[in-house]
Amino acid sequence: MLQRELANSNYNKNNQVSSPIVNSSVVHNQSNNNDANHISRSALLEEFRNNKLKKYELKDIIGNIVEFSGDQHGSRFIQQKLETANNEDKQMVFDEIKPKALHLMTDVFGNYVIQKFFEYGSASQKAVLAKIMEGHVLSLSLQMYGCRVVQKALEHIQEEQQAKLIKELDGNVLKCVKDQNGNHVIQKAIERVAPEHIQFIIDAFHGQVYSLATHPYGCRVIQRIFENCTNEHDSLLEELHRYTFNLIQDQYGNYVIQHVLEHGDPEDKSLVISKVMGQILILSKHKFASNVIEKCVTNGTREERQKMIDEVIKVKSDGSSDLINMMKDQFANYVVQKMLDVVDKDQHDLLITKIKPHLQSLKKYTYGKHLIQRLELEINSNNE
């Protein structure tokens, strides 16, 4: 169970845009390159880096703001100061970085200074930076550091500028979705921009749902649409349902189906569950599909759970049942655990009754041993 949770946890972590300031992993990973590749530092920056005792203020580095922004330690200093700086000091810094803003947006350390202005700058400063980005949104979105600036801009600028910037991606939506940087920009646009301004994104997905849902980045974007574009996603869901059985078994598509089961409308959940009926044993033994079956159990109605239970407890001609086979399997045993966890008392007692005669024979199998131990404790407790 722990391995499965870790796998899901890693997926979710990868699904987030990392934009830390002080503790940025990007900053730390790039520090050696910054030292090795610099051409020359000004005397002021050299002194700043070496003199840890002197207390510097923003006014002390005027004339060297751009240089400091491109330095690991200098950038960090400016970021921290901007959070509490008065309007005069912010404008002083802004006037210096403005001519080099586009370059700083794609710089390993400079991008964080630009992001700080979108967070803490004045409305006019944010508007100016957004204006500078015009005509460059696609290239910024596909760049490792630029994509973070575009996302930050979409969080903090006015709707009119949001619409203008994101429209530049029209015609390149799928390119961005399948890009390791660009996909985060599309996700942010779906989350933060009014639906009427991103209809072109929705339109680009028609006829592409299966290929996107089975893509490592595309599957994330599809989920953001289902979360945020409630009035626009019906046609995409209809397309998705045509491929449910294949997606359930896909290493990325299974996450999209899980998302529907967790957050979808009752009719969409029921449609997914209806597609797995008759195949519960096979899908429960599948590495990716087993996660979906767990979600079916968790999010189904009582009646749907009962149908799933009836399917797996049915005794075959050889005296075996799918339930017992599932308890022996490395993936399917988790589905049985989930059933025992979420069903009501009557259903729980029914499962126990079907499992109890097989407990001794199940002990010789590697998988599900802890489940058997749990059941033995439960049975003994009930007998006392």
Side-chain angles (χ1 to χ4, degrees):
M1 193 70 179
L2 179 60
Q3 287 180 327
R4 288 153 71 85
E5 289 173 355
L6 286 174
N8 288 340
S9 172
N10 288 337
Y11 172 83
N12 290 334
K13 278 190 264 190
N14 291 337
N15 198 12
Q16 301 301 315
V17 184
S18 177
S19 56
I21 300 301
V22 177
N23 296 318
S24 167
S25 59
V26 174
V27 170
H28 290 306
N29 290 340
Q30 294 287 338
S31 59
N32 291 335
N33 291 340
N34 185 249
D35 284 336
N37 297 334
H38 78 278
I39 299 172
S40 63
R41 295 193 191 106
S42 66
L44 179 62
L45 180 54
E46 203 65 65
E47 180 190 359
F48 171 83
R49 288 171 62 95
N50 295 323
N51 189 345
K52 304 300 182 186
L53 299 176
K54 183 176 178 180
K55 184 176 174 62
Y56 284 84
E57 299 297 336
L58 288 172
K59 65 179 187 303
D60 297 325
I61 64 169
I62 289 304
N64 295 78
I65 297 290
V66 173
E67 181 191 22
F68 270 62
S69 296
D71 176 82
Q72 179 187 5
H73 304 286
S75 171
R76 185 178 298 168
F77 166 74
I78 294 172
Q79 292 169 56
Q80 291 171 339
K81 290 296 182 183
L82 285 175
E83 291 182 5
T84 56
N86 59 40
N87 292 337
E88 183 182 350
D89 283 351
K90 285 180 189 174
Q91 190 61 45
M92 180 176 63
V93 174
F94 186 78
D95 289 340
E96 265 196 61
I97 67 166
K98 179 183 168 184
K100 298 290 185 181
L102 194 59
H103 166 74
L104 290 174
M105 289 176 188
T106 58
D107 182 77
V108 58
F109 305 122
N111 80 90
Y112 292 115
V113 174
I114 301 296
Q115 286 189 60
K116 277 296 177 185
F117 267 103
F118 279 118
E119 286 185 89
Y120 294 95
S122 66
S124 62
Q125 288 165 349
K126 295 174 188 180
V128 168
L129 287 174
K131 185 71 176 174
I132 290 171
M133 293 168 69
E134 288 181 12
H136 304 281
V137 177
L138 178 60
S139 60
L140 287 170
S141 296
L142 298 175
Q143 203 268 346
M144 183 183 296
Y145 309 114
C147 75
R148 302 177 184 189
V149 175
V150 178
Q151 290 172 78
K152 192 66 71 173
L154 292 176
E155 289 178 359
H156 294 283
I157 59 178
Q158 297 298 312
E159 182 177 338
E160 184 180 342
Q161 280 195 304
Q162 278 184 329
K164 192 168 188 179
L165 292 186
I166 205 63
K167 187 65 175 174
E168 291 187 25
L169 301 183
D170 196 356
N172 289 285
V173 171
L174 296 182
K175 180 178 182 178
C176 288
V177 168
K178 295 183 177 183
D179 180 80
Q180 62 178 338
N181 303 310
N183 82 88
H184 294 297
V185 173
I186 299 295
Q187 288 185 66
K188 186 64 68 175
I190 293 167
E191 291 170 351
R192 302 303 288 254
V193 182
E196 60 266 27
H197 302 310
I198 57 168
Q199 186 60 47
F200 69 93
I201 294 177
I202 311 294
D203 292 343
F205 285 7
H206 290 298
Q208 301 290 329
V209 170
Y210 181 77
S211 66
L212 291 174
T214 54
H215 188 275
Y217 308 137
C219 70
R220 304 171 185 172
V221 179
I222 290 281
Q223 290 174 65
R224 298 297 85 74
I225 285 185
F226 291 158
E227 288 169 358
N228 296 278
C229 306
T230 51
N231 296 324
E232 293 80 13
H233 69 23
D234 287 352
S235 59
L236 297 180
L237 263 173
E238 186 179 328
E239 190 177 331
L240 185 82
H241 282 307
R242 294 204 294 268
Y243 304 102
T244 298
F245 197 74
N246 299 96
L247 291 173
I248 286 172
Q249 300 172 77
D250 182 78
Q251 62 177 325
Y252 303 115
N254 81 88
Y255 289 110
V256 179
I257 301 301
Q258 286 186 63
H259 191 275
V260 173
L261 287 165
E262 288 184 283
H263 306 288
D265 294 332
E267 55 267 30
D268 288 310
K269 294 180 183 183
S270 293
L271 189 51
V272 170
I273 292 171
S274 70
K275 299 281 180 71
V276 308
M277 296 306 298
Q279 305 287 338
I280 291 177
L281 175 62
I282 294 171
L283 295 175
S284 294
K285 294 173 78 170
H286 189 282
K287 180 179 181 180
F288 306 121
S290 61
N291 294 293
V292 177
I293 301 301
E294 282 191 53
K295 288 295 191 299
C296 289
V297 172
T298 302
N299 297 284
T301 64
R302 187 198 185 282
E303 291 70 24
E304 287 165 338
R305 287 175 183 162
Q306 188 62 52
K307 287 180 181 178
M308 287 186 267
I309 291 170
D310 290 342
E311 179 177 329
V312 300
I313 66 174
K314 185 178 180 181
V315 180
K316 299 177 182 177
S317 57
D318 62 358
S320 69
S321 69
D322 289 349
L323 178 65
I324 304 307
N325 287 329
M326 287 165 69
M327 289 186 68
K328 302 173 187 177
D329 184 77
Q330 60 177 324
F331 302 120
N333 80 88
Y334 291 109
V335 176
V336 178
Q337 286 188 59
K338 186 61 67 177
M339 284 183 171
L340 290 167
D341 286 339
V342 304
V343 297
D344 65 24
K345 185 179 185 306
D346 289 342
Q347 293 171 330
H348 185 275
D349 291 345
L350 175 60
L351 287 168
I352 294 292
T353 301
K354 298 297 182 181
I355 294 170
K356 193 174 178 180
H358 302 274
L359 278 179
Q360 290 304 315
S361 62
L362 286 168
K363 285 183 179 179
K364 63 185 178 183
Y365 294 96
T366 303
Y367 303 107
K369 278 186 176 178
H370 54 291
L371 173 57
I372 294 166
Q373 291 171 350
R374 166 189 156 179
L375 291 175
E376 284 184 327
L377 287 171
E378 190 175 319
I379 291 167
N380 291 335
S381 175
N382 290 337
N383 291 337
E384 289 177 358

